[in-house]
Amino acid sequence: MNIRRLKDSISSRLMLAATAFACLLFFFMLVGLYYRASPILSTEPIFDLLFSKEWSPNAGKFGFFPFIMGTLWVTGLAIVIAVPISLLSSIYLSEYADSSLRAAANPLIDLLAGIPSVVYGLWGVIAVVPFIRNIFAPALGVETIGGYSILAGGIVLSIMVFPIIISITSEVMRSVSQDLREVSLSVGATKWQTIKHVVLRKAKPGIFAAIILGFSRAFGETMAVLMVVGNVYRVPSSIFDPAYPLPALIANTFGEMMSIPLYDSAIMLAALLLLIVVMIFNILARMVLIKIEKGVI
Amino acid sequence: MNRKILITAITVVLAVFIVATLSGFVGKPGAGTQNIPSGDAQTPAVEELEGTIRISGAFAMYPMMLIWSEEYRTLHPKVKFDISAGGAGKGMADTLGGLVDIGMVSRAITPAEEEKGAYWIAVTKDAVVPTVNSNNPALAQLKKSGLTRDEFEQIYITGTIRTWGQATGETSNNDKINVYTRSDAAGAPETWAKYLGNYTQEELKGVGVNGDPGLAEAVRQDKLGIGYNNVNFAYNLNSRKPVEGIEIIPLDLNENGKIDPEENFYGTLDEIVEAIGNDKFPSPPARDLNLVTKGKPTGIEEDFIKWILTDGQKFIPESGYIVLPQDKINEGIEKVDSSA
């Protein structure tokens, strides 16, 4: 075999190995976390752990329900805030804005994506939390504990996912063929009708994928959320309540885990749960995406 | 076929790797630091010390550690420091996990931690004090009557005191108390909970805020808030007064419903430091601050800790901390010297 072909074969195998490694990482994590979480799973049925509301590690009570609900509330609220705003701005950027504005706006939005989580958290503490305490909550006549709430977490989180959704969505929309737009305009449709019925319809799978990508990141954004969300072990009942999402639990208590029996196992289980929640979210999203591509939705 | 074999091979190798990582979760001790033979602390070091000392942990000890490291560096310019604050829990976890050489832990070390190899030495002392916003509507009354341990317990643990009126006895005041606590595993909440009656951090009620500075900020922004801070975060080191926007709630130690002159030592940092030093301020919330290493310290870490216990002690008073009694310091020096 000559050296040229040997090189080719080695490099392709190396790349295959790298790909296999990347694909298998998820399963290694799953197995690793399960292995470390198994002590607590063997003491109590999983159902009790997931739906019990009491968390007091010193008494050996590990109920994950408040944390699971906290995660879902914060992420859900962030979706509600982020999706409309980022969709509208990406429609504007790709369809209406002239190229100079686009050239100015895109780097700014990209910049937003690169800001470290803890900076968002600090900003949340000095701006979002006081805003909720002093202006928003009094205006609606609701009580908060100093503004630390799901709402604060949702606002901070939504801003963190804006840049991802905006940049991918406007990219997808710009990739829609110009011919389609011209055809639509030539039969007398207005610009908005063209966007709504032609561009958005064509770009729908891509937009949906952008939203999934944004929120897969959002589930685990720890620092920013834990700094503003209040971290109280209780099932929240409104967006003005404090909550305790799973990533915050892991980050906050990691240090104490060695002194209390089963604590480390419980924290590993929390990580496993988070992984599974994200996985389920992704599978559902993937199913919807397939349906969209088939034209069912 | 070929590919299948390749993938299987990779999987096996990786699985071994992952299992190895997992089983060694607590990591290798102090890997990555140079093992420089230390000179005897009493006689000047013959060999020039060099290397990096990585430190993390309690916010309570962070300001003191910065001063110690700077002073130590003037003696040994080749020693570098890498210091971060992240709470006592993080300090303990990082040390036992081999991520840092020395952990700062502002609470007692548990037997479980000692079992895992935590080797601790008490080096100085400070306290946790309850804080309130300086625009609190009940401030004047709070300053006059203070709060008893029992009242703090009802605010922080049982939740039976919910308004500032209930706390101070002025029934006309219906302002809600916004209770703040630390969310990260730390020494201050452990110490505070212990003062309230042998509780643990999980039992403290209230909104959890991250870090000592975060808790101070939460109270500074909320005029109905109550919190607690390490002395060095509640007071400004330059002005020696409580941090702007924050007041300290005096402890009504004899529970007679008013703050007597001998209970009143919260005006300046120096007053409270003195009160902690001569035990007028109770312990807890005063507590020893510990340095933790994984196993007995060696090399530059040993030399640094020994220096802290000897020459380093003179920087303590001006920094707003309390020097430990001499027999406790001797105990520490013995612990470093012993060939355990």
Side-chain angles (χ1 to χ4, degrees), chain B residues 149-187:
Chain B
R149 191 204 59 80
D150 193 50
E151 283 167 328
F152 282 119
E153 186 181 355
Q154 290 182 50
I155 293 171
Y156 262 101
I157 306 284
T158 58
T160 43
I161 293 181
R162 289 169 189 280
T163 69
W164 285 107
Q166 287 170 334
T168 54
E170 285 172 88
T171 40
S172 58
N173 185 344
N174 280 324
D175 291 324
K176 204 167 64 115
I177 300 179
N178 287 339
V179 182
Y180 292 100
T181 182
R182 282 275 288 279
S183 65
D184 48 331

Side-chain angles (χ1 to χ4, degrees), chain A residues 13 21 58 146 230-231 252 256, chain B residues 2 14 107 180 185 200 202 208:
Chain A
R13 261 156 219 217
F21 176 68
N58 279 292
N231 305 308
N252 277 329
E256 288 296 295
Chain B
N2 217 348
L14 287 176
R107 55 167 169 77
Y180 292 100
T200 58
E202 281 88 15

Side-chain angles (χ1 to χ4, degrees), chain B:
Chain B
M1 190 61 208
N2 217 348
R3 280 183 189 194
K4 268 187 193 155
I5 295 169
L6 189 67
I7 291 177
T8 325
I10 294 165
T11 317
V12 170
V13 169
L14 287 176
V16 170
F17 169 74
I18 300 276
V19 169
T21 332
L22 282 171
S23 57
F25 187 75
V26 173
K28 292 118 209 112
T33 42
Q34 298 83 332
N35 223 352
I36 308 295
S38 71
D40 193 358
Q42 266 68 41
T43 59
V46 185
E47 257 175 287
E48 184 67 24
L49 296 173
E50 64 175 293
T52 305
I53 303 180
R54 298 164 302 170
I55 303 171
S56 88
F59 281 94
M61 297 181 77
Y62 183 67
M64 188 69 242
M65 189 51 79
L66 287 182
I67 293 168
W68 274 331
S69 63
E70 274 165 32
E71 295 294 338
Y72 189 75
R73 262 177 70 85
T74 59
L75 300 174
H76 306 286
K78 283 190 177 166
V79 176
K80 289 202 179 67
F81 283 92
D82 182 357
I83 308 172
S84 64
K90 182 167 161 31
M92 181 56 83
D94 285 355
T95 309
L96 296 184
L99 298 173
V100 300
D101 307 309
I102 300 176
M104 306 181 278
V105 178
S106 53
R107 55 167 169 77
I109 280 77
T110 66
E113 288 162 346
E114 263 182 286
E115 228 165 77
K116 299 225 171 171
Y119 195 89
W120 57 273
I121 291 141
V123 289
T124 180
K125 191 175 177 185
D126 86 333
V128 176
V129 287
T131 56
V132 72
N133 187 287
S134 49
N135 293 321
N136 187 292
L139 184 65
Q141 186 60 33
L142 277 175
K143 287 243 152 191
K144 214 164 71 192
S145 61
L147 290 177
T148 62
R149 191 204 59 80
D150 193 50
E151 283 167 328
F152 282 119
E153 186 181 355
Q154 290 182 50
I155 293 171
Y156 262 101
I157 306 284
T158 58
T160 43
I161 293 181
R162 289 169 189 280
T163 69
W164 285 107
Q166 287 170 334
T168 54
E170 285 172 88
T171 40
S172 58
N173 185 344
N174 280 324
D175 291 324
K176 204 167 64 115
I177 300 179
N178 287 339
V179 182
Y180 292 100
T181 182
R182 282 275 288 279
S183 65
D184 48 331
E190 284 292 336
T191 308
W192 186 238
K194 206 165 177 191
Y195 167 64
L196 301 183
N198 260 323
Y199 296 102
T200 58
Q201 179 173 357
E202 281 88 15
E203 291 166 277
L204 293 175
K205 290 219 164 53
V207 160
V209 187
N210 186 47
D212 238 307
L215 190 47
E217 181 65 16
V219 174
R220 217 171 62 80
Q221 285 192 2
D222 186 348
K223 78 177 183 178
L224 300 180
I226 185 172
Y228 53 83
N229 272 109
N230 296 308
V231 165
N232 278 283
F233 286 84
Y235 287 85
N236 181 326
L237 256 184
N238 294 320
S239 71
R240 318 297 274 186
K241 291 248 164 44
V243 170
E244 206 186 326
I246 281 181
E247 294 283 345
I248 316 295
I249 306 175
L251 306 182
D252 183 8
L253 298 170
N254 57 15
E255 314 207 337
N256 65 351
K258 63 176 200 282
I259 292 299
D260 300 317
E262 69 269 17
E263 289 172 326
N264 190 7
F265 37 69
Y266 301 91
T268 66
L269 181 57
D270 302 292
E271 279 178 71
I272 188 157
V273 162
E274 199 196 326
I276 299 166
N278 57 27
D279 290 331
K280 277 187 187 167
F281 189 85
S283 183
R287 45 50 202 282
D288 293 352
L289 301 175
N290 303 296
L291 293 182
V292 175
T293 51
K294 189 171 161 74
K296 205 179 103 56
T298 53
I300 42 175
E301 289 86 39
E302 181 189 354
D303 190 72
F304 180 54
I305 294 174
K306 223 159 158 188
W307 175 86
I308 287 176
L309 286 167
T310 51
D311 295 349
Q313 294 288 309
K314 65 170 178 273
F315 303 104
I316 290 177
E318 61 189 271
S319 320
Y321 291 79
I322 294 98
V323 177
L324 289 171
Q326 192 57 45
D327 52 334
K328 212 157 196 176
I329 295 176
N330 291 342
E331 204 180 289
I333 295 175
E334 244 166 66
K335 237 180 148 177
V336 185
D337 276 336
S338 73
S339 48

